[in-house]
Structure formats: C-alpha cells, structure tokens
C-alpha cells in the first residue's frame, strides 16, 4: 500500500533535499490534452540536478510514496496523471533543461529541455536531430524518450530509441545510472538504455540523454499527391523508395474526412485541392548535393501514372510550410469535432489497406459513424478515429465506447499489428495490453518492474496494472 505525500512527508522531503522547489501542482499538472483524466492532487517538485532527483526518489522509496514523472504533459494516454489513490509526488524536470555539450555528431542534453530545444541545438551545430512531432515545442526530452516517441520522420530516421545513444537515469531507490555514452556499439551486458526508453517512467526517471545528430539533406522537396486508395498510396511509397533509396523522409496518408473536418473547424488552413480528395499523401524527400528534389518529385508523379490522379509540388518554403500545417492541423480538427474513440495503431504494410477496408466496414456496422483515418503510413502507423455522424453528439454513442475500440483492436490483433504504435500504454490502455499482450512478455515485464521498483512507487498504475 502506497503512502500519501502528506504534510509530514513534505517536511521530511525538505530536510532530505535542501533547496528543492516544492509546492502544490497547478491545473496544467493535473490535466492532459484530451481531458479524459483529472489528477488527484499531490506535491509538485522541480529538481535542478540529477543529485536532487536521486535524493527525491530515495526519500519517496523509503516512505513508500508514489512518484509521477512529468515531462511536457503532452501524452495522450494518461501516463502523466494519477486520478485516485494516495497523493503522489509529481516530479517535473522543467528546471533541468540545459544543453550540456555538442560533440561531433552527439548532443548531450538534459531531460527537461524540449524537443524543439534539441532540434535548435543540432541546427546551430550544422546538424539535424530529425525526430519531429506536433507537440515538439512543449514535449520534453525525458518524456519523448520515456514514451519512445515516433512522429513523421520514423520512415527514414527511426523513432526515439533509434536516435538515442545513452541515458542518465535514476531508479526507484535513488540509484543513478550514468550511461551517457557517445557510442554506436556497446555490447557490455544488458542494454538498460533501451529498457528505460519506452517504459513511461515506470522503471526510472531519465535525467539526461546523448542523442545522435545526423547530416542535413542538401535539398528538401515536399509534395501532396491525390491517390485512388490506400493500396495506391502504398504502391506509390514502394515506387518512391525504389526511385530514391534512403531519401524518403516522410510519407503521410490523409483521408478526405480529415480535410472536410478542416473545412468545418479550421477554414483558415490552406488546402491545395479545390475538390477534397478521398485519399491523398504528403511526401517529403531529402536529397544529397547535386540532385533537384522538385525534379525527383515530378518524375515520381509521372512514374506513378495509374496511382496518382493529381498533385502539387511545393515551390517555396512557404508552400512547404502550408502543406505541413495542413497535416499537423488534423489532430486539432479531430479534437474540435470530438471523437467517440481514437486509436493509435500500427499494421504490417502489406495488410494495411485491407485493414482499413475491413475496419471501416466493421465500425459502420455498429452505428452511423464518420471515420478519420490518417497517419504515418510509411512506417505502418495509422490514427484510426471514430466520430459521430454529422449533426449528432458523441454522447449518443456512449453505449459503444467499449465496443468501438474492441472492434478495432480485435482486427489489429488479427492482422498482426499493435494497439499502440507511438503514444504508449499509459493508463488508458492498461486493460487492452492485458487483453492483447503476449502472456510471456507481460510476465517478463512484471518481473522487471518488481526487480527495479519493488515497492511500486514509480508511476503506479501506468503500463501495468497495480497488483
């Protein structure tokens, strides 16, 4: 049984961690972007060093007080919020936001820095940190790594795990792991870095990381192309990668429903096609010196005859920005329309088009539903979201709040996909993980959790159900 972070505990914490910023959490620390979870309160602490984080965790471990690591608060599955139970200590690393060093092709940065801070530090060094997500101005490096964030450039550069060389982290009992390696190869036993990345703060708190910096492409080209279907989109992706091996940075699928949502709630967003196509793709390529991206994209358009019906190639940075603004406005449009159920899923590419067809049919058999299917189709990641029919309220679908995700996830499981592609498990999908997860994997996860956090104080109730 966890103990609360009550007044007596706070006094102990003050004594054990001199100079620590301690206070009551504001609303922003007790809510999450989709408004599904409300925090139960607790104590907010803002350490300024790894030593302070270690002292906080030693004190919490000794007293049996729960700890919630808090990054930028942008997570979409409730991993940063405890709704009930003993009041926890919320640990925000926002005061640990320094760029410690840029050495060669490596960025050493503290966990409280934002993803945008990392991108800008790389840019100042003439390099590229390619991880890109819509919330990069507020998402913090610690949270980005703890959730193994993906985004639009995974197709070419990989997700957070593949861009991280090492981490500094603090375990539940205050033990510090000093693993800020600058190495691509290091086979000296268990890779604790990869264990902590994606653990959503349940195994330790990441306090700093070493990140890979890559060469910038000499030239970037961006286009939107209208395709007949998701199958045609996948065929176009295969053609693009064959014509430009290793140079396709992003390949995003956009449905006509998403564009119509923008018409309804985001009319200020520029759309390149007067007639809203049922399916289109946003393609971005990065080429080496001596090659012209506009010519490469024009050649792809011609070679894609039979797959592509129309297209626009960005001829300026402002046009490129307009295209990406459209793509990045889709989640906000979804939020304004109000979904019944949202699903961050991934499928094997050869099965993706068939999944979309069967899943749409299965949901529409349940009720009169609009579906906005979009996402990072280049790496198999779809955001497959269900909305009320026009003129209806999502409250009218309350009786289907469980049936809709179960229908989607049953199909995902049958097609060999994942119920969480990039958002994580948090608290929202704990039951889904129990239902669809491999029993052997879940047993191993529980054993690891028990070994590293025997008192269960780290982000209790996230990823794995409390036992």
């Amino acid at each position: 049984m966890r103990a609360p972070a009550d007044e007596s505990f706070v006094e102990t914490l003050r004594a054990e961690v001199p100079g620590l910023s301690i206070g009551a959490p504001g609303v922003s620390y007790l809510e999450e972007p989709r408004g599904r979870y409300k925090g139960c309160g607790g104590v907010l602490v803002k350490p300024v060093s790894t030593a302070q984080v270690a002292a906080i965790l030693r004190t919490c471990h000794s007293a049996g007080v729960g700890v919630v690591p808090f990054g930028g608060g942008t997570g979409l599955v409730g991993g940063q919020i405890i709704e009930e139970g003993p009041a926890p200590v919320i640990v925000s690393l926002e005061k640990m936001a320094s760029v410690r060093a840029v050495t060669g092709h490596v960025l050493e940065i503290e966990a409280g820095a934002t993803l945008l801070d990392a991108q800008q530090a790389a840019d100042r060094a003439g390099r590229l940190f390619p991880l890109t997500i819509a919330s990069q101005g507020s998402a913090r490096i610690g949270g980005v790594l703890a959730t193994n964030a993906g985004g639009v450039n995974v197709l070419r550069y990989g997700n957070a795990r593949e861009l991280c060389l090492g981490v500094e982290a603090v375990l539940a009992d205050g033990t510090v792991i000093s693993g800020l390696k600058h190495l691509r190869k290091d086979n000296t036993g268990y890779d604790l870095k990869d264990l902590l990345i994606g653990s959503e703060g349940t195994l330790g708190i990441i306090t700093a990381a070493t990140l890979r910096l890559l060469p910038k492409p000499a030239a970037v080209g961006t286009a939107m192309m209208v395709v007949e279907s998701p199958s045609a989109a996948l065929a176009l992706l295969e053609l693009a990668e064959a014509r430009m091996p290793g140079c396709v940075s992003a390949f995003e699928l956009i449905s006509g429903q998403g564009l119509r949502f923008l018409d309804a709630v985001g009319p200020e967003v520029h759309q390149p096609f007067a007639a809203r196509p049922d399916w289109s793709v946003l393609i971005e390529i990065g080429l080496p010196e001596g090659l012209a991206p506009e010519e490469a994209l024009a050649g792809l358009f011609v070679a894609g005859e039979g797959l592509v019906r129309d297209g626009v190639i960005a001829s300026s940075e402002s046009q490129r920005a307009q295209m990406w603004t459209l793509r990045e406005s889709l989640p906000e449009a979804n939020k304004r329309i109000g979904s019944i159920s949202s699903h961050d899923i991934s499928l094997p590419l050869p099965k993706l088009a068939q999944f979309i067809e069967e899943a749409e049919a299965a949901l529409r058999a349940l009720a009169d539903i609009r579906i906005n299917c979009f996402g990072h189709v280049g790496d198999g990641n779809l955001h497959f979201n269900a909305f009320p029919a026009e003129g209806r309220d999502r409250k009218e679908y309350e009786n289907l709040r469980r049936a809709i995700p179960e229908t989607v996830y049953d199909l995902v499981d049958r097609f060999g996909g994942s119920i969480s592609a990039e958002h994580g498990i948090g608290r929202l999908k704990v039951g889904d993980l129990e239902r669809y997860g491999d029993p052997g994997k879940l047993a191993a996860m529980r054993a690891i959790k028990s070994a590293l956090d025997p008192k269960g104080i780290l982000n209790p109730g996230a990823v794995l159900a409390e036992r």
Side-chain angles (χ1 to χ4, degrees), residues 140-201:
R140 300 186 187 278
I141 292 298
V144 165
L145 293 173
T147 57
N148 189 28
V152 299
N153 289 331
V154 172
L155 173 62
R156 180 170 183 171
Y157 297 107
N159 53 20
R161 177 176 279 115
E162 293 166 275
L163 293 167
C164 182
L165 297 174
V167 298
E168 174 187 85
V170 183
L171 302 183
D173 64 356
T175 298
V176 177
I177 296 177
S178 301
L180 293 176
K181 298 293 183 72
H182 291 214
L183 306 173
R184 290 290 300 277
K185 289 185 174 182
D186 179 13
N187 280 348
T188 53
Y190 303 136
D191 194 333
L192 300 181
K193 161 184 66 71
D194 277 355
L195 189 61
L196 290 165
I197 294 173
S199 68
E200 301 186 45

Side-chain angles (χ1 to χ4, degrees), residues 316-327:
S316 66
E317 181 57 32
S318 64
Q319 287 187 347
R320 173 179 177 265
Q322 284 179 339
M323 291 179 181
W324 277 111
T325 296
L326 184 155
R327 167 60 184 87

Side-chain angles (χ1 to χ4, degrees), residues 221-241:
T222 308
M224 288 190 69
M225 297 187 186
V226 176
V227 292
E228 294 287 346
S229 64
S231 293
L234 292 169
L236 183 63
L237 170 63
E238 187 173 348
L239 180 63
E241 292 194 304

Side-chain angles (χ1 to χ4, degrees), residues 225-419:
M225 297 187 186
V226 176
V227 292
E228 294 287 346
S229 64
S231 293
L234 292 169
L236 183 63
L237 170 63
E238 187 173 348
L239 180 63
E241 292 194 304
R243 292 175 63 89
M244 298 169 281
C247 295
V248 182
S249 302
F251 196 92
E252 299 286 302
L253 182 69
I254 299 171
S255 75
Q257 186 63 74
L259 300 180
R260 291 188 289 275
F261 280 171
L262 285 175
D263 284 333
V265 298
E268 72 282 357
V269 176
H270 174 76
Q271 297 201 37
F273 305 111
R276 308 307 187 220
D278 287 337
W279 296 102
S280 58
V281 293
L282 172 59
I283 309 169
E284 185 152 286
I285 59 173
L287 301 182
E289 191 172 353
L291 298 178
E294 291 84 1
E295 291 180 11
L297 289 168
L300 176 65
F301 181 84
V302 172
E305 183 180 1
L307 302 173
V308 182
R309 292 195 291 109
D310 197 359
V312 176
I313 299 172
S315 60
S316 66
E317 181 57 32
S318 64
Q319 287 187 347
R320 173 179 177 265
Q322 284 179 339
M323 291 179 181
W324 277 111
T325 296
L326 184 155
R327 167 60 184 87
E328 291 165 359
S329 297
L330 293 175
E332 179 60 27
N334 285 347
K335 185 177 179 180
R336 293 181 186 179
I337 295 291
S339 72
I340 307 167
S341 184
S342 300
H343 316 99
D344 163 51
I345 56 177
S346 60
L347 285 304
L349 286 182
K351 299 179 179 181
L352 188 142
Q354 184 183 352
F355 167 84
I356 292 174
E357 182 179 349
E358 291 194 22
E360 287 186 343
L363 289 192
R364 290 187 173 124
L366 290 176
D368 187 7
I369 287 174
R370 290 180 292 178
I371 297 166
N372 186 12
C373 173
F374 67 103
H376 323 302
V377 70
D379 56 50
N381 181 185
L382 291 177
H383 300 297
F384 193 86
N385 304 333
F387 295 82
E390 191 168 3
R392 297 183 65 182
D393 190 278
R394 60 181 174 179
K395 292 178 182 177
E396 299 176 46
Y397 298 80
E398 197 63 37
N399 62 317
L400 296 175
R401 286 296 295 270
R402 192 59 242 168
I404 291 174
E406 283 185 0
T407 299
V408 173
Y409 295 151
D410 282 352
L411 277 169
V412 168
D413 188 55
R414 178 161 68 82
F415 279 91
S418 170
I419 63 164

Side-chain angles (χ1 to χ4, degrees), residues 67-143:
V67 175
V68 179
F70 195 92
T74 61
L76 298 176
V77 289
Q80 69 273 45
I81 302 292
I82 288 184
E83 285 197 292
E84 54 188 26
V89 172
I90 301 169
V91 180
S92 170
L93 300 190
E94 62 197 77
K95 292 189 175 184
M96 295 178 60
S98 297
V99 174
R100 292 184 180 176
V102 182
T103 308
H105 301 164
V106 178
L107 169 66
E108 187 172 316
I109 191 167
E110 291 184 331
T114 66
L115 176 54
L116 183 61
D117 291 334
Q119 293 169 345
Q120 291 174 340
D123 186 62
R124 289 193 296 271
R127 305 289 288 182
L128 174 71
F129 185 65
L131 188 66
T132 303
I133 58 178
S135 59
Q136 59 200 29
S138 50
R140 300 186 187 278
I141 292 298

